Amino acid sequence: MELEAYVAHAAALAGVDLAPERARVVAAALEPLLAALDGLRLTDAEPRARNVAEDRESHAGKHGHDGPRAGFDRTWC
Amino acid sequence: VLTTRPPRLDIAAAAELIARREVSPVELLRNVLAQIERLEPRVRAFAHLLPDQALAAAGTAERQLLKDTSGGPLLGIPVALKDLIDTAGVPTTWGSAAHAGRVPTQDAEVWRRLRNAGAILLGKSMTHEMGCGTLCPPTSNPWALDRGPGGSSGGSAAALAAGLCLGALGTDTGGSIRIPAACTGTVGLKPTFGLVPREGVMSASWSLDHVGPMATSVQGVAFLLDALLGAGAEPSLARTALEDGVRGLRLGVAGGWFRERVQPDVAAAVDQAIRVLTAEGAHLVDVDLDSPLMAASASIGSLIALPELALLHGQDLRRHPDLLGEQVRLNLELGLVEPATAYVGALRARLAIQHTLRDCFERHQLAGLLTPTLPVTAARKEQTAIDFGPDDAESPEAAYVRFCVAFNLAGLPALSLPCGLDRRNLPIGLQIVGRPFADGMVLRIGHVYERATAWHDAVPPVV
């Protein structure tokens, strides 16, 4: 399915009818955002994600909760 | 007394004058109201002005001062609150026709804390509709009325620059405090994520929103932050921590992507600021951050913020799309249709950004990181593209957020303060980023820079 058709379909499922020209505008704005994310090849971030899980476990052990944000350890202040 | 003072009084100076009873809260407020009468028709910084209510509050502050010298640290200081911040009984319409007539019944926690410290509410300042943009029409930049003040907290910044208030609050989801601070030569702090309460403030994105103080000096911002942190804020940032200097501190200078596509006057001003901090005893370290990741930060921020916005405000699109501005409508539509995998992928990319920044601070043992706040100065209101070279143009909105969003994603404290004027006499902003919850250190570095320079005293020609 082309992005424009996907946009119109997804909007309809969310209760919003988009005219074809409007779906084109939304698709044109969405496409570069998705492309930027694709360009990061996020599998490369896997080791960092594991580190965050370790941090969270460590923080929870010390403070009994996840802290202000996962991976955002007050001990790093 | 005030006629002998500068046209724009800083919070710290005003608080001292009031405490010494050299200026009364009513006298100070009348001076500011006269400035508003003269300049507000051209600047249009306010969505709602409350002169009568403010005068009554100033009279109360004055009586309190006559009875008792132990008023709050902000006693009699007139402030503006961005029109996303709830104030009981006062219209808070989020800059949106879709929310015209909205009058909250309760105060936001941040306003309750400022009021308890003695601040006086002067009015609600203009915002880009629902905080969803970086331009803030119809407000004008006091430095050049044909230019915008940046946004979305543009009304707060423009009011400060023009001397229409002494302190202000803004919100920052992707740079919305720092962008207008840089465009108007004022000072704005995006605090550490979660440090300042957001209860009673319109949320655009619960994982990226920050509420923060804005003023005409770093010390003024510290006064406001002290009050925002409430009674538990010890020691006082404004009175103690700022004075420790930067001798021996290691400060990173962000290179690579953070120095590319930067207007020459901006680059030169930031280089000069680095020399000033070196002369003050800081040890400057060139650091290279992951450029592809940082370059994607604005898109990552959008992919997180848009669905969160749509979840919170999607009903506006279903009920009255005709009342929404184009930017808010498009943002809501994008948020509704964005694939779940993109949101989750962006959350994962945010972790990579957090860890890249943490690794940088730890590896180089940094107390702070320096970048330009913006690669450019304020654009003309009708301007749609900024040229960086042949076949290289960018919209003002995209240029404004470029160096800001990564620090929303990481939740780090980030301060913008003025560090120069370009060849068109437009302000340039320096960004100082700190470790999580090291907001005091960021202010300390900024205060040292400010003491050594006079850029924060520069006043727009219109004033």
Side-chain angles (χ1 to χ4, degrees):
Chain A
M1 189 188 292
E2 285 189 7
L3 188 57
E4 196 178 312
Y6 161 78
V7 163
H9 183 64
L13 288 175
V16 175
D17 285 327
L18 294 185
E21 61 271 22
R22 189 64 190 171
R24 200 169 305 131
V25 169
V26 176
L30 183 59
E31 193 277 333
L33 298 177
L34 299 179
L37 189 63
D38 283 347
L40 288 178
R41 296 182 300 155
L42 276 174
T43 50
D44 294 346
E46 186 66 33
R48 286 172 177 157
R50 273 201 296 273
N51 287 341
V52 169
E54 288 160 14
D55 283 356
R56 185 184 294 162
E57 193 177 319
S58 149
H59 190 100
K62 271 180 259 175
H63 305 287
H65 60 82
D66 266 0
R69 180 182 287 175
F72 210 51
D73 193 329
R74 254 187 180 275
T75 58
W76 184 54
C77 297
Chain B
V1 175
L2 283 177
T3 53
T4 64
R5 304 283 171 194
R8 213 178 59 172
L9 207 54
D10 173 63
I11 289 178
E16 193 179 333
L17 289 170
I18 288 173
R20 292 204 311 247
R21 303 187 187 194
E22 289 183 27
V23 169
S24 81
V26 171
E27 184 184 12
L28 174 64
L29 182 65
R30 287 211 167 110
N31 190 271
V32 171
L33 289 173
Q35 190 84 328
I36 288 173
E37 191 173 342
R38 190 167 72 83
L39 294 179
E40 173 61 5
R42 282 180 283 169
V43 175
R44 299 189 66 188
F46 287 95
H48 311 284
L49 267 166
L50 305 161
D52 296 337
Q53 183 176 316
L55 275 168
T60 303
E62 192 160 300
R63 287 190 291 279
Q64 187 181 347
L65 196 64
L66 291 172
K67 277 195 307 197
D68 172 13
T69 54
S70 61
L74 296 176
L75 186 70
I77 302 295
V79 300
L81 303 182
K82 186 177 185 179
D83 201 28
L84 303 182
I85 298 171
D86 279 356
T87 39
V90 175
T92 304
T93 59
W94 303 350
S96 178
H99 298 277
R102 181 180 178 277
V103 180
T105 55
Q106 294 196 337
D107 289 322
E109 178 63 17
V110 284
W111 167 233
R112 196 183 65 77
R113 292 185 183 187
L114 291 190
R115 192 186 55 213
N116 286 348
I120 290 172
L121 179 61
L122 193 49
K124 307 301 289 289
S125 50
M126 290 280 194
T127 172
H128 201 116
E129 184 179 11
M130 295 174 74
C132 291
T134 58
L135 301 180
C136 196
T139 306
S140 296
N141 190 325
W143 286 88
L145 295 171
D146 62 335
R147 293 175 187 265
S152 61
S153 309
S156 292
L160 286 165
L164 312 185
C165 64
L166 273 67
L169 294 185
T171 66
D172 191 319
T173 305
S176 285
I177 287 174
R178 292 158 288 159
I179 291 165
C183 285
T184 61
T186 56
V187 184
L189 174 71
K190 180 197 81 62
T192 301
F193 181 80
L195 184 68
V196 173
R198 292 180 297 164
E199 178 195 338
V201 181
M202 192 216 98
S203 181
S205 161
W206 62 81
S207 72
L208 294 171
D209 289 339
H210 303 67
V211 184
M214 304 172 76
T216 55
S217 73
V218 173
Q219 200 172 23
V221 163
F223 265 80
L224 293 169
L225 185 62
D226 271 344
L228 291 171
L229 297 183
E234 292 294 342
S236 159
L237 290 167
R239 283 186 289 278
T240 58
L242 293 189
E243 303 301 333
D244 290 342
V246 294
R247 186 156 300 282
L249 292 184
R250 292 170 64 84
L251 304 180
V253 178
W257 179 72
F258 280 97
R259 300 311 293 269
E260 293 166 7
R261 303 172 81 211
V262 175
Q263 286 178 343
D265 290 353
V266 174
V270 171
D271 287 340
Q272 178 58 27
I274 290 164
R275 285 192 284 275
V276 168
L277 288 166
T278 303
E280 291 293 319
H283 182 63
L284 277 292
V285 184
D286 288 325
V287 299
D288 207 2
L289 295 157
D290 182 338
S291 289
L293 191 58
M294 295 297 152
S297 59
S299 296
I300 294 166
S302 293
L303 288 169
I304 293 171
L306 293 169
E308 293 183 3
L309 180 81
L311 184 66
L312 295 169
H313 304 288
Q315 70 275 15
D316 285 337
L317 187 62
R318 297 185 188 95
R319 288 181 193 157
H320 34 236
D322 50 317
L323 294 179
L324 298 172
E326 170 58 21
Q327 185 67 59
V328 171
R329 185 178 166 192
L330 181 60
N331 284 357
L332 289 170
E333 289 165 339
L334 283 165
L336 282 180
V337 304
E338 181 183 315
T341 47
Y343 179 73
V344 176
L347 292 178
R348 200 161 171 216
R350 173 163 70 185
L351 294 181
I353 286 179
Q354 286 176 355
H355 280 258
T356 296
L357 288 164
R358 184 172 82 168
D359 290 349
C360 175
F361 270 88
E362 288 192 338
R363 188 174 345 114
H364 299 287
Q365 292 297 301
L366 301 180
L369 178 68
L370 309 178
T371 82
T373 308
L374 315 178
V376 297
T377 51
R380 294 187 311 279
K381 285 182 175 178
E382 75 284 3
Q383 195 167 343
T384 56
I386 297 171
D387 290 325
F388 291 98
D391 302 321
D392 184 12
E394 189 176 30
S395 71
E397 294 95 324
Y400 285 173
V401 299
R402 214 192 307 149
F403 298 153
C404 291
V405 180
F407 307 112
N408 292 77
L409 290 163
L412 303 180
L415 176 77
S416 180
L417 72 166
C419 70
L421 295 171
D422 74 359
R423 64 197 68 186
R424 291 165 299 196
N425 205 39
L426 297 170
I428 296 167
L430 171 70
Q431 181 169 234
I432 304 173
V433 182
R435 292 171 176 241
F437 301 102
D439 302 64
M441 174 62 79
V442 165
L443 295 176
R444 176 174 144 191
I445 298 165
H447 184 58
V448 167
Y449 175 77
E450 205 172 70
R451 268 191 323 205
T453 60
W455 295 115
H456 63 289
D457 286 331
V459 174
V462 71
V463 174

